[in-house]
Amino acid sequence: MASGGLMGVMASGGLKGVMASERYGPSQADVASVKGLKEAPSAAKYPHAYRWYKHMTSYQSEFPSLPGDPSKAYTTYGPEATSVTMNPKDAPKEAEEEEEDEDLFGSDDEEEDPEAVKQREANLAAYKQKKAGKTKPAAKSIVTLDVKPWDDETSMKELEANMRTIEMDGLTWGASTLVPVGFGIKKLQVTLVVEDEKVSIDELQAKIEEDEDHVQSTDVAAMQKL
């Protein structure tokens, strides 16, 4: 590489030469060039060199594994000689146009392969359809209800039988037991499972309490999410 410094070569369009050994991916040529710089290029004076430098330093953790010969100095890469213009505004117009035409990092305006676009859209549609087909399990709660009779003469068998005739979408009746409350009176304690979005506990209690001949009141003794 001719004298004038790596920064000067980059400013004059020599960036293409620096990356010539591995133009389509970072390599040891880039590693050597980055290490040959004392500081980052000025974004104002050397915009292309600055862009390249920022891109290459993002691979810093991968420097040892990049392709190429790490023992070579940066002076072994690039053109054998170059005419360096230290002030970018004084560089030949042809060099500027050539550098603009050569997009080392790809352009967002490049037209994509129609087949690749079609395949990507098909994959995206299939993913959305698969995701939409998955339904989350319904949120459920396990509830323990206390059902209290009027007195000790109330038929608890009839009370429970009437209660279990209640059917609601999302309601599953469970086990029950009689619990003494005093003076010979026993309350019915029943466990049930409900789907939270389908069953209102208040509505269920109201339905149970419609059996006015047997039921005095109901209370929620316990409630836990499944």
Side-chain angles (χ1 to χ4, degrees), residues 91-160:
K93 184 177 181 180
E94 297 78 29
E96 292 180 2
E97 292 177 351
E98 183 179 354
E99 187 169 341
E100 289 176 358
D101 292 339
E102 184 69 33
D103 190 350
L104 297 174
F105 304 100
S107 172
D108 294 336
D109 297 331
E110 291 182 3
E111 185 176 349
E112 292 188 76
D113 180 14
E115 288 299 322
V117 174
K118 183 178 179 181
Q119 183 61 47
R120 183 173 68 246
E121 291 178 349
N123 293 340
L124 181 60
Y127 169 76
K128 288 182 177 180
Q129 184 176 4
K130 183 178 180 181
K131 187 175 181 180
K134 292 183 178 180
T135 56
K136 294 182 179 179
K140 296 182 179 181
S141 298
I142 182 168
V143 182
T144 300
L145 281 181
D146 284 344
V147 184
K148 300 174 183 177
W150 287 105
D151 51 39
D152 60 340
E153 296 181 0
T154 302
S155 173
M156 300 305 290
K157 287 185 178 180
E158 291 179 3
L159 182 153
E160 182 173 4

Side-chain angles (χ1 to χ4, degrees), residues 133-199:
K134 292 183 178 180
T135 56
K136 294 182 179 179
K140 296 182 179 181
S141 298
I142 182 168
V143 182
T144 300
L145 281 181
D146 284 344
V147 184
K148 300 174 183 177
W150 287 105
D151 51 39
D152 60 340
E153 296 181 0
T154 302
S155 173
M156 300 305 290
K157 287 185 178 180
E158 291 179 3
L159 182 153
E160 182 173 4
N162 292 343
M163 180 193 69
R164 289 184 181 275
T165 61
I166 298 173
E167 294 182 355
M168 299 175 69
D169 185 22
L171 167 64
T172 302
W173 292 107
S176 64
T177 185
L178 293 176
V179 180
V181 294
F183 305 101
I185 301 175
K186 295 181 179 180
K187 65 181 178 181
L188 178 69
Q189 193 168 79
V190 59
T191 301
L192 51 112
V193 175
V194 297
E195 290 187 28
D196 297 342
E197 292 186 0
K198 294 182 178 180
V199 179

Side-chain angles (χ1 to χ4, degrees), residues 3 9 14 21-22 38 43 48 50 66-67 72 78 86 92 95 102 107 115 120 137 139-140 162 170 183 215 217:
S3 62
V9 173
S21 63
E22 293 290 343
K38 295 182 179 179
H48 296 289
Y50 176 78
L66 295 179
K72 292 183 180 181
M86 297 308 294
E102 184 69 33
S107 172
E115 288 299 322
R120 183 173 68 246
K140 296 182 179 181
N162 292 343
F183 305 101
V215 179
S217 63

